[in-house]
Amino acid sequence: MIATTIPWALRTDKLVGSVIDSSTSLLAAQKHDIVRFAMGSPAAETVPAAVFSDIASAVMTSDAMDYAATEGDPGLLDALLGYLDSVGEPSSADRIVITSGGMQGLDLACKLFIDPGDLVIVESPTYTNGTATVLSYGGDVLEAPMDSDGLIVEAFPELVEQAGRLPKMIYVIPNFQNPSGTTMSLARRTLLLELAHKWGAVILDDDPYGLLRFEGKHIPSFNALSPGDPLVFSVRTFSKMIAPGLRVGWVDAAPEARQLLINAKQAMDTCTNLPAQRMIAEFIRRGHLHTHLRSLGTVYRPRKIAMQRSLDRYFGDRIATTDPEGGFFLWATLRGAAAAVSTQDLFEVALAEGVAYIPGPALSVGGKFHDSLRLCFASSTPERIDEGVKRLAAAVDRSMAMLASDPTR
């Protein structure tokens, strides 16, 4: 008799996927105009496509189409180390492994450190792909609150006592956090390092946005505060700095982890895309990365301000937002009577009105933040931002009217 039941692995019930990534497919299926505040992508006009086209013609030799060293192409490793030194984040060749985007870095970290049942403290709200990776390896997620200074590290001892066990990992996005846009203060970074060493917990330092500061004062990274720390595992990517389609990032970890990282990566994809590595290396060598990052601030800061002004214009005191000093995102929370509208339910109404965002519950393992939503200001012009916020306000008005007519909704 032919078996009809598929013998799934036990871990498949932990493969929760990503609402953020799924939004790309959803929006592609829409036939009407959509202002896209959902996906965290660089502005299309900032992507240096012409420069990369010129670089490609110079580096795309036959050997560039071959396999690469798993740890990364030597040319990119050298260029990256030089660049990191120039921005005050020095590292060494025995700490760096090139990855296929930041997500592979998160996966490698969880593969190396998380066993089923291990406790992982995460920011709440946080990046849904990060928690999805933790869950896929059987980790137990403990959500910790945030405020305008980022993760409230002072709350950890009580949270850990309530959990009845120590964390194996603490997952943080310290700069211009996704989704809140907040930045962890220096005092809390220092305290987090102290607690991590007290408990023997790994700090998974996910920082895609740290070099995208457009105002305010730089705060030292965990690597700068505790050089060579074996409990700091840093994940970085070129996706937000240059273009996500390149799928190139890197991890900076203790030298003892490097061979394990190589072994784990060889069981995933053998190596990161070599042509993309060669192009990025040349982009850095020619000095374009410095210039490019400086130019991004002149684009993103006005867009953040435009979004804040539009939210004030169309919502007034019905909404409150964070005030990021860099990165891509605002975190908006409905207030007053508008707070009765669930942003999860609002999504379909907003999509019909022609605007997309990420609902708050999608950014919490526990499904919190029904009154909140993530808005990406980076990828839309000020004019499109204003139109999108206008449509969002219309969607909230429609939803409030529906609630008034049917309170059971």
Side-chain angles (χ1 to χ4, degrees):
M1 185 175 180
I2 298 175
T4 57
T5 301
I6 301 175
W8 302 116
L10 294 177
R11 74 179 67 88
T12 56
D13 65 351
K14 301 293 186 181
L15 301 179
V16 297
S18 166
V19 172
I20 297 173
D21 291 347
S22 296
S23 70
T24 303
S25 300
L26 176 64
L27 293 178
Q30 304 304 308
K31 302 302 181 185
H32 63 297
D33 178 57
I34 304 287
V35 179
R36 304 187 176 202
F37 295 150
M39 201 68 181
S41 297
E45 60 271 31
T46 68
V47 175
V51 175
F52 270 85
S53 178
D54 177 60
I55 288 173
S57 65
V59 305
M60 207 61 68
T61 57
S62 58
D63 68 312
M65 306 300 286
D66 203 348
Y67 289 109
T70 303
E71 64 271 21
D73 189 56
L76 178 55
L77 289 168
D78 288 346
L80 177 59
L81 287 169
Y83 181 77
L84 293 175
D85 188 64
S86 74
V87 295
E89 292 285 337
S91 189
S92 56
D94 60 351
R95 295 185 59 87
I96 302 289
V97 172
I98 302 299
T99 60
S100 298
M103 276 305 305
Q104 187 175 72
L106 298 181
D107 193 272
L108 287 166
C110 291
K111 187 182 286 290
L112 263 61
F113 297 110
I114 300 301
D115 289 317
D118 281 343
L119 187 66
V120 180
I121 298 177
V122 305
E123 297 157 322
S124 184
T126 192
Y127 178 46
T128 184
N129 296 40
T131 51
T133 305
V134 170
L135 292 171
S136 74
Y137 283 95
D140 293 336
V141 171
L142 174 61
E143 295 185 80
M146 301 180 69
D147 62 17
S148 59
D149 285 325
L151 184 62
I152 304 176
V153 183
E154 299 90 335
F156 279 17
E158 183 178 350
L159 289 171
V160 168
E161 183 178 358
Q162 291 173 352
R165 52 193 168 130
L166 297 177
K168 181 74 168 294
M169 177 183 284
I170 302 163
Y171 172 53
V172 295
I173 306 170
N175 295 306
F176 324 123
Q177 195 252 7
N178 180 2
S180 71
T182 58
T183 294
M184 188 186 297
S185 68
L186 177 59
R188 287 180 175 173
R189 295 179 193 217
T190 302
L191 179 58
L192 183 56
L193 284 164
E194 292 175 4
L195 291 176
H197 279 271
K198 178 180 178 180
W199 294 333
V202 173
I203 297 175
L204 178 50
D205 164 34
D206 182 14
D207 191 14
Y209 308 100
L211 293 173
L212 298 178
R213 177 176 287 278
F214 47 65
E215 59 190 29
K217 185 178 179 182
H218 170 73
I219 299 176
S221 68
F222 294 110
N223 288 327
L225 292 171
S226 187
D229 195 324
L231 292 180
V232 175
F233 188 104
S234 297
V235 175
R236 305 289 186 263
T237 181
F238 290 105
S239 292
K240 312 301 183 181
M241 292 189 282
I242 305 175
L246 292 168
R247 307 312 306 139
V248 178
W250 72 96
V251 298
D252 188 315
E256 303 94 305
R258 196 166 194 253
Q259 190 57 52
L260 287 172
L261 287 166
I262 291 170
N263 295 349
K265 185 170 165 59
Q266 286 173 344
M268 292 181 183
D269 62 358
T270 302
C271 63
T272 299
N273 180 298
L274 182 54
Q277 289 192 68
R278 293 276 176 91
M279 288 190 290
I280 292 173
E282 188 65 17
F283 188 74
I284 296 172
R285 278 194 293 266
R286 294 186 184 186
H288 291 306
L289 187 56
H290 275 292
T291 305
H292 179 67
L293 289 175
R294 282 198 302 269
S295 72
L296 292 180
T298 65
V299 175
Y300 294 151
R301 184 174 182 272
R303 294 182 180 200
K304 181 203 77 166
I305 294 171
M307 180 169 280
Q308 290 173 321
R309 288 176 175 170
S310 294
L311 287 165
D312 184 60
R313 180 181 305 119
Y314 296 112
F315 281 89
D317 61 3
R318 296 190 301 165
I319 204 164
T321 72
T322 54
D323 186 22
E325 296 180 331
F328 285 7
F329 305 112
L330 282 178
W331 183 247
T333 302
L334 297 172
R335 296 166 56 174
V341 175
S342 167
T343 57
Q344 191 80 52
D345 298 335
L346 176 67
F347 182 82
E348 288 189 14
V349 181
L351 198 61
E353 288 285 347
V355 60
Y357 61 87
I358 300 298
L363 298 155
S364 160
V365 170
K368 303 175 184 179
F369 310 110
H370 275 269
D371 59 352
S372 300
L373 59 157
R374 189 191 80 174
L375 300 172
C376 176
F377 56 78
S379 53
S380 302
T381 65
E383 294 76 20
R384 288 287 284 173
I385 287 171
D386 190 71
E387 177 61 27
V389 173
K390 181 179 179 181
R391 295 176 185 182
L392 182 62
V396 171
D397 289 340
R398 278 182 57 191
S399 295
M400 291 179 68
M402 288 188 287
L403 281 174
S405 64
D406 182 5
T408 64
R409 291 178 67 93

